Amino acid sequence: MMEGEKAVQSARMTKLCACAAIGLAALSVLGAQAPKRAIALAVTGGTVVTENATRQILSPGAVAIDGTDVVEVAPPEAIAAKYQARETIDARGQVVLPGLINTHTHAPMVMYRGLADDLALRDWLQKYIFPAEAKTVSPEMVRVGTRLAALEMIESGTTTFADMYYFEEEIARAAFGAGLRGVLGQTIIQFPVADAKTPAEGLARAERFIQEFKDNGLVVPAVAPHALYTNDKASLAASAELGRKYGVPVLIHIAETEDEVRVAREQYNMSPVAALESIGFWGPKTLGAHGIWVSDEDIATLKRHDVGIAHNPESNMKLASGTAPVVKYLAAGVALGLGTDGAASNNDLDMFEAMRQAAFLAKLATKDPTALSARAALDLATIGGARALGMERLIGSIEAGKRADLITVSMAAARQTPLYDPISQIVYTTRGDDVRTTMVNGKVLMKDRQVRTLNRATVIVDANALAAKVRDAVR
Ligand SMILES: [Zn+2]
């Protein structure tokens, strides 16, 4: 039994025997004997939504943090009795949540935000995005874009993001510098792109990238073949093989549009999911983004291979790609996370909005308002995303032994008043702007909305300067 527990038990006995004076004396003696453990940080007084296995909520609660990890989650008085924190974050009036996990994005595409909207995916990609990328993607663009994306993610409570883009080593450096956790995939694509003339070059670049970052504490390097319809069989198989060789994740867009289904039928005489299964692509470290046009059999295939799926309701609605069968995925036990997709098809990286839209879209699509509850939507953005990325032992909930990735969220806005149910408020009325504190790996990246790891003004100025070049390129 710990000293602190003895003290608490002693206090209880005091009440039982009503020997107040003797009891208090015993308590003070025990209290004096119990040395407090020094820790780096305590977040105390807020409503702690743990997202642990029992979905425990402590109101009020406190989180003891030391080094990179959560040490203990308990009522504030229990944490205060046991620990001496060097820094304390007062979270009274706020909700403390696990950091949000964006399972699908293309961080530098914030530079194409609002450049071309209101188009079908094929036109949008082939007439605007691919040409703009051909002229403007460079290490500098990726660096500047990722810093802007990192600023937006930190300010809106995202602590982990899964990314697929070019010059992924620049994204890794920028994300690491900003203190964000990332599963970052180097793109493999059949046609010549800014960082590789051929898929073979892309694969070689991906391998160097994996070797450089495989032991990084925040960056998980990954291989990202763009999609079934933009890669031939050989590059898809080689991408999966490279992932297996190093035991790193493999990220791909899958079954995003009906057009993709048609192409898979023509080339493989199969569905997109079955086509990738036929070449041995799927495995427990693979993550498919979208997964909209899937049959029940495809869902069973994804479950059998333990594939994670990133659901992107806003991008899917904006590009009218279709509606992922979220309820079927959850019923089948598929590891389902939530993503924003790139900012050019969303047009922001706010995971609170993604939660809300995921809930609304599932309800509308099934004509059933109980289809995806606020609780289920929050699960997707936290522990669900961690499972989809195969990282649930490290992140996705606030629990002792897991990495200290968490956020505090203000509940004081008019639109959040009155507060009956914090889960309802988080999903249905809260916005990224309400986040006050963002912490990753025990490090505070933002406190009281002041970002510590990026110079906000410089990031915005650099992005606007680069936007002038993007504008010229597509003129
Ligand atoms: Zn995407």
Side-chain angles (χ1 to χ4, degrees):
M1 188 184 282
M2 305 293 287
E3 291 299 319
E5 289 173 31
K6 274 186 197 164
V8 170
Q9 198 172 64
S10 168
R12 283 201 197 105
M13 284 165 63
T14 301
K15 281 181 192 161
L16 284 176
C17 70
C19 303
I22 298 167
L24 281 173
L27 182 64
S28 73
V29 169
L30 279 168
Q33 284 174 344
K36 289 187 183 181
R37 175 178 163 186
I39 54 169
L41 192 58
V43 178
T44 187
T47 297
V48 181
V49 177
T50 63
E51 288 294 296
N52 69 9
T54 61
R55 299 298 188 265
Q56 186 185 13
I57 297 174
L58 291 87
S59 189
V63 187
I65 294 151
D66 201 36
T68 58
D69 293 357
V70 170
V71 175
E72 188 174 348
V73 185
E77 57 279 10
I79 295 293
K82 224 167 141 181
Y83 302 99
Q84 186 67 49
R86 282 196 294 281
E87 183 182 356
T88 298
I89 293 177
D90 181 356
R92 281 175 298 177
Q94 301 185 56
V95 168
V96 184
L97 282 179
L100 304 179
I101 299 173
N102 185 346
T103 54
H104 181 65
T105 193
H106 314 279
M109 290 188 80
V110 290
M111 288 309 308
Y112 305 130
R113 184 188 342 248
L115 187 67
D117 298 306
D118 313 323
L119 296 161
L121 177 71
R122 185 173 261 220
D123 287 345
W124 177 75
L125 271 180
Q126 294 186 350
K127 291 185 185 161
Y128 293 89
I129 296 303
F130 287 156
E133 286 181 332
K135 289 179 193 161
T136 61
V137 171
S138 67
E140 186 207 4
M141 175 271 182
V142 167
R143 206 158 42 234
V144 170
T146 304
R147 283 200 198 119
L148 178 63
L151 179 65
E152 187 182 350
M153 287 191 272
I154 291 169
E155 287 187 337
S156 59
T158 292
T159 54
T160 296
F161 69 109
D163 193 84
M164 303 169 67
Y165 212 59
Y166 311 105
F167 298 109
E168 202 69 32
E169 70 282 358
E170 295 291 345
I171 297 175
R173 284 182 203 120
F176 185 76
L180 284 171
R181 195 181 297 285
V183 176
L184 308 179
Q186 171 62 39
T187 290
I188 313 297
I189 199 160
Q190 212 64 32
F191 52 85
V193 286
D195 67 350
K197 290 193 186 67
T198 62
E201 252 183 60
L203 284 158
R205 178 177 265 284
E207 184 156 16
R208 287 195 301 276
F209 172 60
I210 293 165
Q211 287 167 345
E212 186 181 345
F213 287 95
K214 66 180 168 19
D215 300 319
N216 188 289
L218 286 177
V219 171
V220 177
V223 190
H226 177 269
L228 181 72
Y229 61 95
T230 47
N231 280 286
D232 68 14
K233 212 180 268 190
S235 8
L236 289 165
S239 299
E241 186 49 42
L242 183 60
R244 277 192 290 270
K245 179 177 171 185
Y246 289 94
V248 298
V250 179
L251 319 175
I252 191 166
H253 293 100
I254 185 70
E256 183 175 1
T257 60
E258 281 183 291
D259 212 35
E260 180 178 336
V261 175
R262 185 183 57 73
V263 171
R265 290 255 172 258
E266 282 170 14
Q267 291 181 358
Y268 294 83
N269 198 26
M270 283 179 245
S271 73
V273 169
L276 284 179
E277 189 191 32
S278 75
I279 59 169
F281 185 88
W282 296 123
K285 290 229 163 210
T286 49
L287 178 84
H290 304 300
I292 293 168
W293 298 95
V294 290
S295 63
D296 291 354
E297 203 182 331
D298 290 332
I299 293 174
T301 300
L302 294 167
K303 170 63 186 164
R304 192 163 59 247
H305 292 285
D306 208 9
V307 176
I309 292 290
H311 174 43
N312 299 274
E314 297 166 89
S315 169
N316 298 161
M317 284 192 278
K318 185 168 183 248
L319 293 164
S321 306
T323 311
V326 168
V327 176
K328 285 188 178 183
Y329 278 129
L330 291 176
V334 170
L336 192 67
L338 201 55
T340 57
D341 208 345
S345 60
N346 182 308
N347 286 359
D348 62 36
L349 305 176
D350 185 341
M351 286 292 291
F352 287 92
E353 201 185 324
M355 282 192 262
R356 181 153 58 250
Q357 298 305 330
F360 289 173
L361 181 59
K363 294 171 196 302
L364 182 67
T366 57
K367 299 192 178 75
D368 176 4
T370 71
L372 194 76
S373 65
R375 154 60 64 197
L378 177 62
D379 287 355
L380 293 185
T382 55
I383 192 67
R387 278 186 64 215
L389 294 172
M391 296 173 79
E392 69 271 28
R393 281 196 298 274
L394 291 180
I395 57 172
S397 60
I398 306 176
E399 291 182 77
K402 281 199 179 184
R403 298 300 96 86
D405 291 14
L406 57 83
I407 59 176
T408 75
V409 186
S410 171
M411 287 283 141
R415 81 190 114 74
Q416 294 167 311
T417 308
L419 178 60
Y420 299 119
D421 174 1
I423 306 297
S424 168
Q425 232 65 332
I426 288 160
V427 174
Y428 294 133
T429 69
T430 297
R431 304 197 289 237
D433 298 357
D434 299 316
V435 174
R436 304 293 306 173
T437 312
T438 300
M439 185 191 306
V440 176
N441 235 17
K443 183 176 173 185
V444 179
L445 310 185
M446 178 175 79
K447 188 176 179 186
D448 297 330
R449 288 209 67 76
Q450 298 301 307
V451 176
R452 295 177 170 182
T453 49
L454 290 162
N455 182 323
R456 190 172 201 288
T458 307
V459 168
I460 303 271
V461 166
D462 289 352
N464 280 324
L466 195 79
K469 290 185 190 171
V470 173
R471 208 175 277 121
D472 287 348
V474 295
R475 190 164 276 161

